[in-house]
Amino acid sequence: DNRVAEQTPLTATLGIDSKGGAHNAGASLAYRGGGPLRVSVEQYRQQFRRRDLEAYWLWKFTPQYQVRVTASNILGEDNHDYQRYVTSAGTEENVGRRPDSARVSVNLEVKF
């Protein structure tokens, strides 16, 4: 568990884009590995694996105006956290989970 704090043991990203005419689309899948790490003599943490899937669709209806639809966290994965403190007074463990959900956004982009 002798890693620098917040150092990710493995990251990988796979992406694809399709461009042609007025319509473009793309997607990417990102993976972040997890594992235990020791922050200090007393503090341990656990990094959890995470997969993020994002996609977009772009419609250029004039040279000046385009609409972009983006979906992120399509897999709807939550964020997890684990920390443990070990001192002469005892051990304290903190476990957390922040719920997350998929998000969709629509943007009008204007070129000046």
Side-chain angles (χ1 to χ4, degrees):
D1 305 338
N2 191 13
R3 293 189 288 131
V4 176
E6 304 302 321
Q7 180 183 14
T8 305
L10 171 69
T11 59
T13 304
L14 175 64
I16 187 167
D17 285 301
S18 173
K19 296 184 178 187
H23 299 278
N24 298 329
S28 67
L29 175 64
Y31 174 82
R32 181 189 73 205
L37 60 98
R38 189 168 189 161
V39 179
S40 68
V41 174
E42 299 89 12
Q43 184 180 3
Y44 299 85
R45 291 199 60 201
Q46 174 75 30
Q47 274 187 326
F48 292 87
R49 70 171 177 84
R50 172 100 183 168
R51 298 170 302 160
D52 286 308
L53 178 60
E54 296 184 350
Y56 78 93
W57 173 70
L58 180 69
W59 176 36
K60 298 178 183 180
F61 53 93
T62 70
Q64 187 179 8
Y65 295 99
Q66 58 190 28
V67 172
R68 182 183 305 267
V69 179
T70 305
S72 59
N73 194 23
I74 295 171
L75 302 174
E77 291 199 355
D78 296 338
N79 295 299
H80 298 273
D81 188 43
Y82 172 82
Q83 294 187 51
R84 180 175 51 156
Y85 300 91
V86 179
T87 64
S88 59
T91 300
E92 177 185 332
E93 290 185 323
N94 296 310
V95 179
R97 176 177 159 250
R98 291 185 318 267
D100 204 354
S101 60
R103 294 175 296 283
V104 176
S105 64
V106 179
N107 296 302
L108 173 64
E109 299 175 1
V110 180
K111 294 182 181 179
F112 293 103

